[in-house]
């Protein structure tokens, strides 16, 4: 699995502990990867051998790699405005094109509820406050399912949202590239 924008690799390390048959490539800036290497050096060698740290700017095209099980992006998009998010998605397309059909892009991020969908008011208010903070602080935003779908279509018409697992603050969007 390629953990795009994976920071110091803490999520990949946790997943590697849980799934000993999987290997991970963590992509981020050299500063973040240095911290990850420091933490990884203290881990069990069997675990550390399954995690590769790779410098990569997610605005640059993803290099085609064979046998990628998935591309994983955790809390990346809510930090970016639509134009930047579209650029990140477009940069992932070469990696998806080179991967077997059906290789998912897994996006762990927030999916805002539609107004009046029955989400408890206190939860909806908290998510909407976070949305406003992202807008004011970063010019970014949280997105509804429809906004996510629009983002995928704007990046590449072949990107298809297959399923949204969970909802609200802890959702996982499963996206594939139609070939």
């Amino acid at each position: 699995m390629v953990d795009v924008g994976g920071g110091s690799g803490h999520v990949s390390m946790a997943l590697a502990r849980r799934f000993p048959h999987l290997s991970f490539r963590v992509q981020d800036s050299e500063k973040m990867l240095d911290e990850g290497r420091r933490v990884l050096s203290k881990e069990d060698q069997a675990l550390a051998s399954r995690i590769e740290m790779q410098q990569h700017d997610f605005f640059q095209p993803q290099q085609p790699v064979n046998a990628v099980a998935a591309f994983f992006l955790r809390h990346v998009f809510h930090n970016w405005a639509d134009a930047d998010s579209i650029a990140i998605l477009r940069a992932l397309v070469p990696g998806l094109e080179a991967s077997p059909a059906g290789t998912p892009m897994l996006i762990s991020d927030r999916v805002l509820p539609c107004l009046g969908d029955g989400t408890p008011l206190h939860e909806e208010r908290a998510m909407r406050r976070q949305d406003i903070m992202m807008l004011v602080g970063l010019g970014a935003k949280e997105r509804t399912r429809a906004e996510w779908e629009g983002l995928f279509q704007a990046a590449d018409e072949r990107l298809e949202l297959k399923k949204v697992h969970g909802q609200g603050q802890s959702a996982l969007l499963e996206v594939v590239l139609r070939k």
Side-chain angles (χ1 to χ4, degrees):
M1 181 169 80
V2 179
D3 187 353
V4 181
S8 61
H10 62 283
V11 172
S12 287
M13 289 179 214
L15 290 170
R17 283 185 205 94
R18 177 84 168 92
F19 302 100
H21 61 287
L22 294 179
S23 294
F24 299 83
R25 176 176 298 133
V26 179
Q27 295 180 333
D28 213 304
S29 68
E30 203 55 47
K31 180 180 178 183
M32 294 303 299
L33 296 175
D34 283 345
E35 175 63 18
R37 288 183 189 105
R38 186 187 65 72
V39 171
L40 200 55
S41 71
K42 298 175 185 174
E43 289 288 338
D44 175 78
Q45 183 55 37
L47 179 100
S49 69
R50 294 185 294 116
I51 300 173
E52 175 190 350
M53 300 291 186
Q54 180 185 49
Q55 192 281 325
H56 180 72
D57 175 352
F58 53 50
F59 287 105
Q60 298 303 311
Q62 187 65 236
Q63 295 301 311
V65 179
N66 293 332
V68 171
F71 291 91
F72 179 64
L73 297 99
R74 181 176 176 272
H75 296 188
V76 169
F77 293 99
H78 80 130
N79 291 335
W80 298 97
D82 285 351
D84 293 319
S85 294
I86 289 167
I88 294 166
L89 289 166
R90 285 182 178 156
L92 283 161
V93 168
L96 290 166
E97 287 174 330
S99 300
T103 298
M105 176 174 35
L106 302 172
I107 299 172
S108 175
D109 220 312
R110 186 169 284 141
V111 177
L112 286 177
C114 293
L115 293 173
D117 78 344
T119 300
L121 188 57
H122 71 282
E123 288 179 24
E124 186 170 338
R125 282 182 180 164
M127 286 185 274
R128 303 265 178 221
R129 272 193 305 273
Q130 181 69 26
D131 184 30
I132 291 169
M133 287 188 325
M134 297 308 293
L135 177 62
V136 171
L138 299 169
K141 64 194 262 182
E142 307 293 354
R143 296 172 176 88
T144 63
R145 180 186 178 123
E147 289 170 323
W148 278 106
E149 288 176 315
L151 199 65
F152 301 139
Q153 288 302 295
D156 191 305
E157 292 179 352
R158 299 172 296 164
L159 290 175
E160 178 183 349
L161 178 60
K162 294 296 275 187
K163 188 168 184 176
V164 177
H165 304 269
Q167 63 181 358
Q169 298 191 54
S170 237
L172 184 70
L173 296 97
E174 184 178 345
V175 181
V176 296
L177 183 74
R178 287 187 308 275
K179 293 187 177 185

